[in-house]
Amino acid sequence: MFNSIVNEPKELEELNLPIKAIWLPALEIRRSVDLARINELAESMKNIGQLHRIGVRPIKKDLYELIYGERRLRAAMVLNWEKIQTTVFYNISSNDVALAVMAAENVHTEKFRAIENIAIISELKGFGFNDQAIARILSQPDDWVRNHLCVMRDSVARHIAETGTLLNARDLKNFMAFPAAIRSTLLEAA
């Protein structure tokens, strides 16, 4: 069943659709909407553009239901875009298949770990971008970049990030503020 969704060329079409023609699904996976994260994504989309299409299915003439890409759709709304890039799934008529595709798209979405953010920031620094430019490129606050840079420069903090003991730069920075003896005790206990 799912192979036919992907492999049937006449069943998919890439279109730029009016945002007003797209409804949110009756069954929403996301229980809450983090407006700060939507605004971060909107800032990124404003600077870079829409990198990934949203998925929709037709429900009436010129009316579509969102299958996946709710955050991108909400960010486009924040930006007052009139249209958004979509993939239209013409062969998804049942709610169970729509839910399966929605879940498959969202279940693997994962934020970068601190060490991955550090690698990205390091690469951007290597290309000559300053801290403020990196924050703007990544749609993050300046202190977010500074926290990651602190971790990058400290071998102990970087090691902790690499092992996954602490997952975000703010927690790592707070950990590094402890005296060395306390850090050692905490690491041994972990």
Side-chain angles (χ1 to χ4, degrees), residues 4-38:
S4 68
I5 292 172
V6 176
N7 295 326
E8 297 283 334
K10 298 203 184 243
E11 302 297 330
L12 295 175
E13 187 174 15
E14 293 181 346
L15 296 173
N16 290 334
L17 292 175
I19 289 176
K20 292 179 181 178
I22 302 169
W23 288 5
L24 292 175
L27 175 63
E28 294 184 46
I29 289 181
R30 294 191 187 277
R31 299 287 184 224
S32 63
V33 176
D34 184 339
L35 294 178
R37 302 271 303 153
I38 297 296

mmCIF file of all heavy atoms in Angstrom, residues 4-38:
data_model
loop_
_atom_site.group_PDB
_atom_site.id
_atom_site.type_symbol
_atom_site.label_atom_id
_atom_site.label_comp_id
_atom_site.label_asym_id
_atom_site.label_seq_id
_atom_site.Cartn_x
_atom_site.Cartn_y
_atom_site.Cartn_z
ATOM 1 N N SER A 4 2.802 2.100 -3.209
ATOM 2 C CA SER A 4 2.024 2.736 -4.274
ATOM 3 C C SER A 4 1.915 4.241 -4.062
ATOM 4 O O SER A 4 1.836 4.996 -5.022
ATOM 5 C CB SER A 4 0.631 2.113 -4.365
ATOM 6 O OG SER A 4 -0.109 2.438 -3.201
ATOM 7 N N ILE A 5 1.958 4.708 -2.817
ATOM 8 C CA ILE A 5 1.902 6.145 -2.551
ATOM 9 C C ILE A 5 3.116 6.833 -3.143
ATOM 10 O O ILE A 5 3.030 7.886 -3.739
ATOM 11 C CB ILE A 5 1.830 6.411 -1.032
ATOM 12 C CG1 ILE A 5 0.495 5.942 -0.484
ATOM 13 C CG2 ILE A 5 2.050 7.888 -0.720
ATOM 14 C CD1 ILE A 5 0.411 5.975 1.016
ATOM 15 N N VAL A 6 4.252 6.189 -3.021
ATOM 16 C CA VAL A 6 5.497 6.802 -3.464
ATOM 17 C C VAL A 6 5.745 6.573 -4.950
ATOM 18 O O VAL A 6 6.275 7.430 -5.636
ATOM 19 C CB VAL A 6 6.671 6.245 -2.632
ATOM 20 C CG1 VAL A 6 8.001 6.772 -3.130
ATOM 21 C CG2 VAL A 6 6.481 6.587 -1.169
ATOM 22 N N ASN A 7 5.362 5.417 -5.476
ATOM 23 C CA ASN A 7 5.776 5.039 -6.821
ATOM 24 C C ASN A 7 4.801 5.369 -7.937
ATOM 25 O O ASN A 7 5.133 5.197 -9.092
ATOM 26 C CB ASN A 7 6.079 3.535 -6.857
ATOM 27 C CG ASN A 7 7.272 3.210 -5.986
ATOM 28 O OD1 ASN A 7 8.189 4.007 -5.877
ATOM 29 N ND2 ASN A 7 7.255 2.041 -5.365
ATOM 30 N N GLU A 8 3.609 5.780 -7.648
ATOM 31 C CA GLU A 8 2.635 6.091 -8.687
ATOM 32 C C GLU A 8 2.764 7.547 -9.101
ATOM 33 O O GLU A 8 2.317 8.450 -8.396
ATOM 34 C CB GLU A 8 1.205 5.831 -8.175
ATOM 35 C CG GLU A 8 0.923 4.391 -7.817
ATOM 36 C CD GLU A 8 0.700 3.535 -9.044
ATOM 37 O OE1 GLU A 8 0.293 4.073 -10.085
ATOM 38 O OE2 GLU A 8 0.946 2.327 -8.970
ATOM 39 N N PRO A 9 3.387 7.836 -10.259
ATOM 40 C CA PRO A 9 3.647 9.224 -10.630
ATOM 41 C C PRO A 9 2.389 10.070 -10.790
ATOM 42 O O PRO A 9 2.391 11.244 -10.477
ATOM 43 C CB PRO A 9 4.414 9.114 -11.943
ATOM 44 C CG PRO A 9 4.241 7.719 -12.413
ATOM 45 C CD PRO A 9 3.878 6.882 -11.234
ATOM 46 N N LYS A 10 1.277 9.501 -11.218
ATOM 47 C CA LYS A 10 0.064 10.290 -11.403
ATOM 48 C C LYS A 10 -0.655 10.560 -10.091
ATOM 49 O O LYS A 10 -1.566 11.346 -10.051
ATOM 50 C CB LYS A 10 -0.876 9.587 -12.382
ATOM 51 C CG LYS A 10 -0.260 9.434 -13.752
ATOM 52 C CD LYS A 10 -1.298 9.269 -14.791
ATOM 53 C CE LYS A 10 -0.625 9.015 -16.104
ATOM 54 N NZ LYS A 10 -0.840 9.988 -17.078
ATOM 55 N N GLU A 11 -0.207 9.907 -9.036
ATOM 56 C CA GLU A 11 -0.862 10.069 -7.749
ATOM 57 C C GLU A 11 -0.246 11.195 -6.925
ATOM 58 O O GLU A 11 -0.761 11.553 -5.881
ATOM 59 C CB GLU A 11 -0.803 8.758 -6.958
ATOM 60 C CG GLU A 11 -1.438 7.577 -7.664
ATOM 61 C CD GLU A 11 -2.928 7.769 -7.903
ATOM 62 O OE1 GLU A 11 -3.588 8.461 -7.115
ATOM 63 O OE2 GLU A 11 -3.433 7.218 -8.885
ATOM 64 N N LEU A 12 0.881 11.741 -7.367
ATOM 65 C CA LEU A 12 1.557 12.836 -6.680
ATOM 66 C C LEU A 12 1.710 14.007 -7.632
ATOM 67 O O LEU A 12 1.935 13.824 -8.818
ATOM 68 C CB LEU A 12 2.960 12.426 -6.225
ATOM 69 C CG LEU A 12 3.103 11.340 -5.189
ATOM 70 C CD1 LEU A 12 4.567 11.016 -4.993
ATOM 71 C CD2 LEU A 12 2.499 11.774 -3.874
ATOM 72 N N GLU A 13 1.630 15.208 -7.068
ATOM 73 C CA GLU A 13 1.886 16.392 -7.873
ATOM 74 C C GLU A 13 2.446 17.478 -6.971
ATOM 75 O O GLU A 13 1.971 17.673 -5.856
ATOM 76 C CB GLU A 13 0.589 16.874 -8.526
ATOM 77 C CG GLU A 13 0.783 17.988 -9.515
ATOM 78 C CD GLU A 13 -0.500 18.349 -10.249
ATOM 79 O OE1 GLU A 13 -1.603 17.947 -9.810
ATOM 80 O OE2 GLU A 13 -0.384 19.059 -11.257
ATOM 81 N N GLU A 14 3.474 18.150 -7.445
ATOM 82 C CA GLU A 14 4.047 19.262 -6.690
ATOM 83 C C GLU A 14 3.429 20.552 -7.192
ATOM 84 O O GLU A 14 3.513 20.872 -8.379
ATOM 85 C CB GLU A 14 5.574 19.278 -6.843
ATOM 86 C CG GLU A 14 6.215 18.079 -6.189
ATOM 87 C CD GLU A 14 7.729 18.077 -6.300
ATOM 88 O OE1 GLU A 14 8.296 18.845 -7.095
ATOM 89 O OE2 GLU A 14 8.348 17.283 -5.562
ATOM 90 N N LEU A 15 2.785 21.276 -6.265
ATOM 91 C CA LEU A 15 2.089 22.520 -6.615
ATOM 92 C C LEU A 15 2.379 23.595 -5.579
ATOM 93 O O LEU A 15 2.621 23.291 -4.414
ATOM 94 C CB LEU A 15 0.568 22.291 -6.645
ATOM 95 C CG LEU A 15 -0.002 21.332 -7.679
ATOM 96 C CD1 LEU A 15 -1.496 21.133 -7.424
ATOM 97 C CD2 LEU A 15 0.230 21.872 -9.086
ATOM 98 N N ASN A 16 2.318 24.826 -6.004
ATOM 99 C CA ASN A 16 2.301 25.955 -5.071
ATOM 100 C C ASN A 16 0.830 26.293 -4.858
ATOM 101 O O ASN A 16 0.171 26.759 -5.786
ATOM 102 C CB ASN A 16 3.062 27.153 -5.640
ATOM 103 C CG ASN A 16 4.547 26.903 -5.703
ATOM 104 O OD1 ASN A 16 5.070 26.102 -4.940
ATOM 105 N ND2 ASN A 16 5.221 27.567 -6.604
ATOM 106 N N LEU A 17 0.343 26.028 -3.653
ATOM 107 C CA LEU A 17 -1.081 26.215 -3.366
ATOM 108 C C LEU A 17 -1.303 27.420 -2.466
ATOM 109 O O LEU A 17 -0.463 27.748 -1.621
ATOM 110 C CB LEU A 17 -1.641 24.977 -2.663
ATOM 111 C CG LEU A 17 -1.718 23.700 -3.496
ATOM 112 C CD1 LEU A 17 -2.176 22.541 -2.626
ATOM 113 C CD2 LEU A 17 -2.655 23.885 -4.679
ATOM 114 N N PRO A 18 -2.476 28.050 -2.610
ATOM 115 C CA PRO A 18 -2.822 29.132 -1.674
ATOM 116 C C PRO A 18 -2.950 28.573 -0.257
ATOM 117 O O PRO A 18 -3.572 27.525 -0.048
ATOM 118 C CB PRO A 18 -4.175 29.630 -2.180
ATOM 119 C CG PRO A 18 -4.337 29.076 -3.558
ATOM 120 C CD PRO A 18 -3.501 27.834 -3.622
ATOM 121 N N ILE A 19 -2.366 29.260 0.683
ATOM 122 C CA ILE A 19 -2.420 28.811 2.075
ATOM 123 C C ILE A 19 -3.862 28.750 2.572
ATOM 124 O O ILE A 19 -4.230 27.858 3.334
ATOM 125 C CB ILE A 19 -1.550 29.722 2.963
ATOM 126 C CG1 ILE A 19 -0.074 29.444 2.633
ATOM 127 C CG2 ILE A 19 -1.831 29.515 4.444
ATOM 128 C CD1 ILE A 19 0.914 30.319 3.351
ATOM 129 N N LYS A 20 -4.698 29.663 2.098
ATOM 130 C CA LYS A 20 -6.106 29.672 2.521
ATOM 131 C C LYS A 20 -6.859 28.426 2.081
ATOM 132 O O LYS A 20 -7.927 28.135 2.606
ATOM 133 C CB LYS A 20 -6.802 30.913 1.961
ATOM 134 C CG LYS A 20 -6.311 32.195 2.584
ATOM 135 C CD LYS A 20 -6.998 33.402 2.005
ATOM 136 C CE LYS A 20 -6.456 34.663 2.650
ATOM 137 N NZ LYS A 20 -7.053 35.877 2.096
ATOM 138 N N ALA A 21 -6.301 27.687 1.122
ATOM 139 C CA ALA A 21 -6.962 26.481 0.627
ATOM 140 C C ALA A 21 -6.553 25.229 1.403
ATOM 141 O O ALA A 21 -6.973 24.133 1.068
ATOM 142 C CB ALA A 21 -6.642 26.293 -0.862
ATOM 143 N N ILE A 22 -5.727 25.400 2.453
ATOM 144 C CA ILE A 22 -5.218 24.247 3.202
ATOM 145 C C ILE A 22 -5.782 24.265 4.619
ATOM 146 O O ILE A 22 -5.606 25.234 5.349
ATOM 147 C CB ILE A 22 -3.675 24.263 3.232
ATOM 148 C CG1 ILE A 22 -3.126 24.243 1.799
ATOM 149 C CG2 ILE A 22 -3.147 23.078 4.039
ATOM 150 C CD1 ILE A 22 -1.643 24.509 1.710
ATOM 151 N N TRP A 23 -6.451 23.188 4.964
ATOM 152 C CA TRP A 23 -7.006 23.037 6.308
ATOM 153 C C TRP A 23 -6.091 22.159 7.141
ATOM 154 O O TRP A 23 -5.481 21.228 6.639
ATOM 155 C CB TRP A 23 -8.372 22.375 6.251
ATOM 156 C CG TRP A 23 -9.471 23.232 5.712
ATOM 157 C CD1 TRP A 23 -9.377 24.477 5.181
ATOM 158 C CD2 TRP A 23 -10.841 22.865 5.637
ATOM 159 N NE1 TRP A 23 -10.604 24.928 4.793
ATOM 160 C CE2 TRP A 23 -11.531 23.952 5.055
ATOM 161 C CE3 TRP A 23 -11.556 21.742 5.999
ATOM 162 C CZ2 TRP A 23 -12.907 23.939 4.841
ATOM 163 C CZ3 TRP A 23 -12.922 21.727 5.782
ATOM 164 C CH2 TRP A 23 -13.586 22.829 5.212
ATOM 165 N N LEU A 24 -6.038 22.440 8.444
ATOM 166 C CA LEU A 24 -5.345 21.543 9.366
ATOM 167 C C LEU A 24 -6.185 20.284 9.525
ATOM 168 O O LEU A 24 -7.414 20.334 9.467
ATOM 169 C CB LEU A 24 -5.137 22.218 10.721
ATOM 170 C CG LEU A 24 -4.155 23.381 10.726
ATOM 171 C CD1 LEU A 24 -4.136 24.049 12.094
ATOM 172 C CD2 LEU A 24 -2.770 22.914 10.357
ATOM 173 N N PRO A 25 -5.555 19.137 9.731
ATOM 174 C CA PRO A 25 -6.318 17.895 9.850
ATOM 175 C C PRO A 25 -7.157 17.866 11.123
ATOM 176 O O PRO A 25 -6.811 18.510 12.121
ATOM 177 C CB PRO A 25 -5.238 16.810 9.879
ATOM 178 C CG PRO A 25 -4.015 17.507 10.362
ATOM 179 C CD PRO A 25 -4.120 18.928 9.885
ATOM 180 N N ALA A 26 -8.244 17.105 11.067
ATOM 181 C CA ALA A 26 -9.092 16.958 12.254
ATOM 182 C C ALA A 26 -8.308 16.288 13.380
ATOM 183 O O ALA A 26 -8.438 16.650 14.539
ATOM 184 C CB ALA A 26 -10.335 16.151 11.904
ATOM 185 N N LEU A 27 -7.484 15.299 13.015
ATOM 186 C CA LEU A 27 -6.659 14.607 13.996
ATOM 187 C C LEU A 27 -5.257 15.194 13.916
ATOM 188 O O LEU A 27 -4.539 14.992 12.949
ATOM 189 C CB LEU A 27 -6.603 13.101 13.703
ATOM 190 C CG LEU A 27 -5.682 12.288 14.601
ATOM 191 C CD1 LEU A 27 -6.151 12.348 16.052
ATOM 192 C CD2 LEU A 27 -5.607 10.851 14.130
ATOM 193 N N GLU A 28 -4.883 15.948 14.928
ATOM 194 C CA GLU A 28 -3.567 16.558 14.945
ATOM 195 C C GLU A 28 -2.657 15.760 15.864
ATOM 196 O O GLU A 28 -3.029 15.425 16.982
ATOM 197 C CB GLU A 28 -3.658 18.003 15.432
ATOM 198 C CG GLU A 28 -4.413 18.905 14.478
ATOM 199 C CD GLU A 28 -4.399 20.344 14.925
ATOM 200 O OE1 GLU A 28 -3.330 20.843 15.297
ATOM 201 O OE2 GLU A 28 -5.474 20.947 14.909
ATOM 202 N N ILE A 29 -1.448 15.463 15.378
ATOM 203 C CA ILE A 29 -0.482 14.722 16.190
ATOM 204 C C ILE A 29 0.107 15.628 17.258
ATOM 205 O O ILE A 29 0.258 15.245 18.399
ATOM 206 C CB ILE A 29 0.631 14.128 15.304
ATOM 207 C CG1 ILE A 29 0.051 12.997 14.469
ATOM 208 C CG2 ILE A 29 1.799 13.638 16.139
ATOM 209 C CD1 ILE A 29 1.055 12.321 13.572
ATOM 210 N N ARG A 30 0.443 16.843 16.870
ATOM 211 C CA ARG A 30 1.067 17.766 17.828
ATOM 212 C C ARG A 30 0.008 18.236 18.817
ATOM 213 O O ARG A 30 -1.005 18.792 18.442
ATOM 214 C CB ARG A 30 1.679 18.953 17.112
ATOM 215 C CG ARG A 30 2.845 18.553 16.239
ATOM 216 C CD ARG A 30 3.593 19.768 15.744
ATOM 217 N NE ARG A 30 4.605 19.393 14.785
ATOM 218 C CZ ARG A 30 5.806 18.966 15.104
ATOM 219 N NH1 ARG A 30 6.154 18.877 16.360
ATOM 220 N NH2 ARG A 30 6.668 18.628 14.177
ATOM 221 N N ARG A 31 0.280 18.011 20.093
ATOM 222 C CA ARG A 31 -0.664 18.383 21.145
ATOM 223 C C ARG A 31 -0.578 19.860 21.493
ATOM 224 O O ARG A 31 -1.506 20.438 22.022
ATOM 225 C CB ARG A 31 -0.416 17.553 22.400
ATOM 226 C CG ARG A 31 -0.585 16.080 22.177
ATOM 227 C CD ARG A 31 -2.045 15.741 22.019
ATOM 228 N NE ARG A 31 -2.203 14.298 21.910
ATOM 229 C CZ ARG A 31 -2.986 13.732 21.026
ATOM 230 N NH1 ARG A 31 -3.663 14.446 20.170
ATOM 231 N NH2 ARG A 31 -3.099 12.426 20.983
ATOM 232 N N SER A 32 0.573 20.458 21.231
ATOM 233 C CA SER A 32 0.731 21.874 21.520
ATOM 234 C C SER A 32 1.596 22.498 20.440
ATOM 235 O O SER A 32 2.363 21.811 19.775
ATOM 236 C CB SER A 32 1.365 22.080 22.900
ATOM 237 O OG SER A 32 2.660 21.532 22.906
ATOM 238 N N VAL A 33 1.444 23.787 20.284
ATOM 239 C CA VAL A 33 2.217 24.529 19.303
ATOM 240 C C VAL A 33 3.117 25.491 20.065
ATOM 241 O O VAL A 33 2.647 26.309 20.843
ATOM 242 C CB VAL A 33 1.281 25.314 18.350
ATOM 243 C CG1 VAL A 33 2.093 26.152 17.387
ATOM 244 C CG2 VAL A 33 0.374 24.346 17.604
ATOM 245 N N ASP A 34 4.413 25.345 19.864
ATOM 246 C CA ASP A 34 5.398 26.215 20.500
ATOM 247 C C ASP A 34 5.588 27.431 19.592
ATOM 248 O O ASP A 34 6.285 27.349 18.577
ATOM 249 C CB ASP A 34 6.701 25.450 20.699
ATOM 250 C CG ASP A 34 7.755 26.244 21.453
ATOM 251 O OD1 ASP A 34 7.668 27.486 21.499
ATOM 252 O OD2 ASP A 34 8.687 25.607 21.988
ATOM 253 N N LEU A 35 4.940 28.528 19.943
ATOM 254 C CA LEU A 35 4.973 29.714 19.090
ATOM 255 C C LEU A 35 6.380 30.270 18.905
ATOM 256 O O LEU A 35 6.718 30.777 17.832
ATOM 257 C CB LEU A 35 4.040 30.786 19.644
ATOM 258 C CG LEU A 35 2.549 30.430 19.620
ATOM 259 C CD1 LEU A 35 1.718 31.543 20.242
ATOM 260 C CD2 LEU A 35 2.077 30.133 18.213
ATOM 261 N N ALA A 36 7.221 30.151 19.924
ATOM 262 C CA ALA A 36 8.601 30.623 19.788
ATOM 263 C C ALA A 36 9.324 29.819 18.709
ATOM 264 O O ALA A 36 10.049 30.383 17.883
ATOM 265 C CB ALA A 36 9.340 30.527 21.122
ATOM 266 N N ARG A 37 9.101 28.501 18.681
ATOM 267 C CA ARG A 37 9.737 27.654 17.660
ATOM 268 C C ARG A 37 9.158 27.937 16.272
ATOM 269 O O ARG A 37 9.868 27.911 15.289
ATOM 270 C CB ARG A 37 9.571 26.173 18.019
ATOM 271 C CG ARG A 37 10.142 25.776 19.358
ATOM 272 C CD ARG A 37 11.557 25.368 19.371
ATOM 273 N NE ARG A 37 11.764 24.271 18.450
ATOM 274 C CZ ARG A 37 12.920 24.028 17.863
ATOM 275 N NH1 ARG A 37 13.949 24.782 18.112
ATOM 276 N NH2 ARG A 37 13.056 23.015 17.041
ATOM 277 N N ILE A 38 7.861 28.217 16.210
ATOM 278 C CA ILE A 38 7.253 28.581 14.925
ATOM 279 C C ILE A 38 7.872 29.878 14.422
ATOM 280 O O ILE A 38 8.203 30.009 13.236
ATOM 281 C CB ILE A 38 5.715 28.724 15.054
ATOM 282 C CG1 ILE A 38 5.068 27.397 15.451
ATOM 283 C CG2 ILE A 38 5.109 29.284 13.768
ATOM 284 C CD1 ILE A 38 5.187 26.283 14.451
#
